[in-house]
Amino acid sequence: MIPVAAGRTLFEKVWDSHEVARRGAQSLLYVDRHMVHEVTSPQAFEGLREGGRRVRRPDLTVATADHNVPTGGGPLRVVDGDSAAQLEALERNCAEFGVELFGMGHPGRGIVHVIGPQLGLPLPGSTIVCGDSHTATQGAFGALAFGIGTSEVEHVLATQTVWMDRPAPLEVRVDGSLRRGPAVAAKDVILSVIRMIGTAGGAGTIVEYRGSAISGMSVEQRMTVCNMSIEAGSRAGLVAPDEKTVEYLRGKRYAPDDIDAAAAGWLSELRTDGSAKFAKSFRLDAGAVAPQVSWGTSPGMTCDVTDAVPAPEEYGAGDPAAEESARAALRYMGLEPGTPITDVRLDRVFIGSCTNARLEDLRDAAGMVEGRSVAPGVRAMVVPGSQEVKREAEAEGLGAAFEKAGFEWRESGCSMCLGMNPDVLSAGERCASTSNRNFEGRQGAGGRTHLVSPVTAAAAAVAGRFVDAREWV
Amino acid sequence: MRGRAIKYERDNIDTDVIIPGAYLKVHDYDELGRHAMEGLDPRFRERAAAGGSIIVAGRNFGCGSSREHAPIALSRSGIRAVAALSFARIFYRNCVDGAFLLPVEIGGEAYAAISDGDELEIDTGAGTIAAAGKSYPTRPFSDIISRIIAAGGLFKAGLDG
């Protein structure tokens, strides 16, 4: 018998309740839900086929097409042969192995981390995995949600389990209230967290986001925060469930029919015990958070919109490797130290991705563009996170508002977040993007990405340069 | 394992520079190999072709996406091991699960001592990396990871039962 420690953190409770075996530091975890997309699954299904295996629990597995999907208007047509082959492989694999697919043309299609919550897949206290690093998004429901590699996808398909070494619990406490919402957004909170703890600051951990600012957030805002846990080096992030979590899930397709009965257990058990210990703790004052803009090629290279581009020596603060990283980043980004962020002019604006393409994100952004127009010379696009988000946004008139202001209003998909479908930056183009990664070449070879919130992106589209959106609301 | 070091004194070498998103729909592994590291180092292929087979780098190597294309691309370009101060979890597991290459965690002393072009020897049994006649400890593999490496991949390790 393993003695039970006096106090456990939320993630440890979820972990322990899903551990079916242990070898040394590694646990074999049972997986409650497995989501699949077209990029990281073909070799996994091929492996099953070669090994003569079946999908053990097709009823717990859901697939969608998102990464390769073109988002242009009219009937979607995949003209890229390799993309078409990957999408067709997913259709074939799902049909052969009996996995439900929200594929091309399906009204339920969308970015995997956006449709999961819409379907009610990430339940509090459950485990959910996907061959995609941003699976952490779904930790917003108090689920243990993490990304896995393709071999692990095959392992989960075959066994409904995955081997993981036990991470340490990390606390990120955000207290206070966000000033001047929506101009200061959940995105600004998580970018501030990454700026504070560093892109490897969460290595080997699972973050629990706590504090009054997190409690005060909507479930969709919590998803934005959890989404970028991986950019802080953590494997996952999660938030304890509360009444908002329950209300979000109520009536969703895969949520329990008697959700109030389930909620009683979730709300009483799924929280960190008072006597539990975190391996590390960080604190952030929400009231001090300003709109963030990334200036470099790592999500930790971020400053306030009112700041200037830092000098490499300033960023490095005595660490030669960090200083050299900043120098290389500024070269790539074509920025000079000392340039005010609000002087940085833009060619493109992208509002979308699993970080920031849910209905509330689109409402916030649309609020900034009403009665205004996209600046001449700027190409701006809004890509809803799912077809359901698109329909809801159109029903509220948001799609029309964006189009009237000169934005392209597109079909759902991963789009410009990752440069593998037709939505890419050209070399040298500078983009304000609500996505999660500003790595070199992420949005297309030579493209320059600035990570921002939907409100900051929308204001930048109108101004043609970065502006402090707090002055506009 | 012996090989020549290709050293990048950088932290956070991410999977987008190891293999850009545009190639994630490519299933020809050799084609992936031809584009490895092309965003970061235009001379990478040349260096790998000239016998460089062990990448040495800083912290958080392989951060970013879960793409297994990243270790595949490195492996097909001739890389047999990455020796870094630390790794992002998914990349690390992808390396060993598919037996694409060996991820070895090294300490600050070894990182500082190894120069680009050095002949290195990694001894997984002894848990060391040797450069310029001096040997440094590497971080031991966990039990499960050792079994996966010894078996030649996750599905050969017999961990299912």
Side-chain angles (χ1 to χ4, degrees):
Chain A
M1 290 295 287
I2 300 156
V4 177
R8 290 179 300 164
T9 63
L10 170 59
F11 117 71
E12 290 169 309
K13 291 181 182 181
V14 182
W15 184 282
D16 292 347
S17 68
H18 288 79
E19 187 179 58
V20 293
R22 190 187 291 187
R23 283 206 183 115
Q26 300 264 345
S27 300
L28 185 66
L29 293 183
Y30 184 75
V31 173
D32 292 316
R33 293 287 182 190
H34 185 194
M35 300 198 72
V36 171
H37 65 62
E38 79 274 19
V39 178
T40 52
S41 68
Q43 292 92 337
F45 282 112
E46 192 54 37
L48 287 187
R49 210 173 273 125
E50 283 169 9
R53 294 182 170 98
R54 304 295 303 162
V55 174
R56 185 179 174 92
R57 293 296 300 268
D59 56 320
L60 302 180
T61 311
V62 169
T64 193
D66 54 8
H67 283 58
N68 280 283
V69 174
T71 64
L76 295 183
R77 202 162 61 89
V78 182
V79 294
D80 179 311
D82 291 329
S83 284
Q86 210 164 52
L87 291 164
E88 283 159 16
L90 182 69
E91 288 184 16
R92 221 171 29 248
N93 289 330
C94 288
E96 179 182 339
F97 289 93
V99 171
E100 182 178 24
L101 170 65
F102 296 89
M104 295 290 290
H106 193 295
R109 186 185 62 74
I111 304 175
V112 66
H113 317 302
V114 176
I115 71 163
Q118 288 174 338
L119 290 166
L121 290 172
L123 297 182
S126 69
T127 52
I128 180 162
V129 301
C130 173
D132 194 289
S133 55
H134 289 109
T135 308
T137 313
Q138 306 193 51
F141 294 83
L144 186 52
F146 45 82
I148 56 177
T150 298
S151 296
E152 291 172 308
V153 169
E154 183 181 344
H155 195 276
V156 176
L157 288 172
T159 68
Q160 205 60 27
T161 61
V162 64
W163 281 104
M164 286 270 157
D165 57 325
R166 190 182 182 99
L170 173 67
E171 176 186 45
V172 171
R173 176 173 275 280
V174 190
D175 282 311
S177 54
L178 292 172
R179 297 269 166 83
R180 309 293 293 273
V184 182
K187 181 66 161 287
D188 300 310
V189 170
I190 188 60
L191 286 173
S192 299
V193 168
I194 298 165
R195 184 178 165 187
M196 174 173 64
I197 77 173
T199 50
T205 72
I206 288 181
V207 194
E208 181 177 345
Y209 299 97
R210 317 170 77 197
S212 56
I214 303 296
S215 314
M217 284 183 182
S218 70
V219 173
E220 293 196 356
Q221 290 174 310
R222 294 173 191 172
M223 285 194 241
T224 297
V225 171
C226 289
N227 172 274
M228 291 189 72
S229 302
I230 194 95
E231 275 67 47
S234 287
R235 298 183 188 172
L238 77 181
V239 175
D242 60 10
E243 291 295 344
K244 292 180 199 175
T245 321
V246 176
E247 288 318 307
Y248 183 100
L249 291 169
R250 189 181 296 279
K252 296 283 194 287
R253 186 168 144 195
Y254 287 102
D257 290 335
D258 188 353
I259 195 162
D260 292 309
W266 295 339
L267 299 184
S268 63
E269 290 157 29
L270 293 173
R271 53 196 60 258
T272 290
D273 296 329
S275 56
K277 294 265 188 300
F278 286 94
K280 272 194 287 188
S281 291
F282 293 97
R283 281 168 188 274
L284 182 71
D285 172 10
V289 172
Q292 300 293 297
V293 179
S294 74
W295 49 265
T297 53
S298 157
M301 294 174 169
T302 299
C303 62
D304 292 359
V305 69
T306 47
D307 287 343
V309 174
E313 300 77 24
E314 186 189 336
Y315 176 77
D319 176 351
E323 188 179 317
E324 184 45 40
S325 298
R327 197 163 281 122
L330 291 179
R331 255 196 316 274
Y332 180 84
M333 293 297 289
L335 291 173
E336 287 295 325
T339 309
I341 290 292
T342 49
D343 283 355
V344 175
R345 304 198 68 82
L346 298 156
D347 306 301
R348 305 280 298 269
V349 171
F350 170 58
I351 298 176
S353 88
C354 57
T355 314
N356 276 134
R358 285 169 286 271
L359 190 59
E360 289 175 16
D361 296 316
L362 303 187
R363 280 181 192 149
D364 288 348
M368 296 303 292
V369 305
E370 210 178 326
R372 299 183 171 116
S373 306
V374 172
V378 174
R379 183 179 173 200
M381 55 169 73
V382 183
V383 183
S386 70
Q387 295 305 96
E388 185 177 320
V389 169
K390 180 168 191 266
R391 287 189 298 272
E392 289 171 345
E394 287 175 350
E396 292 184 12
L398 304 182
F402 281 120
E403 286 191 318
K404 187 165 171 238
F407 286 81
E408 297 171 29
W409 174 247
R410 299 171 74 95
E411 303 295 321
S412 70
C414 295
S415 185
M416 265 178 75
C417 177
L418 87 166
M420 80 171 290
N421 54 61
D423 304 342
V424 290
L425 293 181
S426 303
E429 276 191 318
R430 188 179 298 285
C431 180
S433 178
T434 67
S435 54
N436 41 55
R437 290 188 178 134
N438 52 348
F439 299 150
E440 287 185 22
R442 170 75 178 182
Q443 294 190 295
R448 292 162 170 166
T449 305
H450 294 273
L451 303 177
V452 291
S453 75
V455 164
T456 297
V462 169
R465 58 183 176 81
F466 287 112
V467 290
D468 186 348
R470 288 173 295 189
E471 295 169 4
W472 289 21
V473 294
Chain B
M1 177 190 295
R2 289 165 181 274
R4 192 179 304 154
I6 299 179
K7 185 171 180 184
Y8 298 105
E9 282 189 56
R10 271 176 81 142
D11 296 336
N12 301 313
I13 291 181
D14 60 75
T15 53
D16 278 275
V17 302
I18 296 171
I19 186 75
Y23 304 110
L24 296 187
K25 48 202 165 192
V26 172
H27 291 288
D28 174 350
Y29 286 4
D30 290 326
E31 177 68 8
L32 289 176
R34 284 191 279 276
H35 298 286
M37 305 289 272
E38 71 179 13
L40 182 71
D41 178 5
R43 287 188 53 239
F44 174 77
R45 282 186 66 196
E46 195 184 311
R47 295 164 83 185
S53 61
I54 302 178
I55 290 176
V56 178
R59 288 167 291 206
N60 206 23
F61 190 93
C63 62
S65 131
S66 66
R67 58 189 71 165
E68 206 149 282
H69 309 67
I72 293 170
L74 292 178
S75 149
R76 288 302 170 113
S77 67
I79 298 298
R80 296 175 63 210
V82 177
L85 290 172
S86 66
F87 290 89
R89 187 205 79 87
I90 304 177
F91 177 85
Y92 184 89
R93 278 295 302 262
N94 283 343
C95 288
V96 299
D97 283 351
F100 300 118
L101 50 87
L102 193 65
V104 182
E105 282 193 27
I106 57 174
E109 200 191 344
Y111 181 57
I114 297 169
S115 300
D116 187 59
D118 279 357
E119 291 295 333
L120 305 179
E121 181 167 5
I122 296 171
D123 184 337
T124 51
T128 57
I129 185 166
K134 197 156 183 259
S135 177
Y136 306 88
T138 57
R139 187 168 169 200
F141 297 110
S142 75
D143 172 43
I144 295 285
I145 298 297
S146 298
R147 291 178 56 156
I148 294 172
I149 292 170
L154 177 62
F155 287 92
K156 294 177 182 163
L159 295 170
D160 302 1

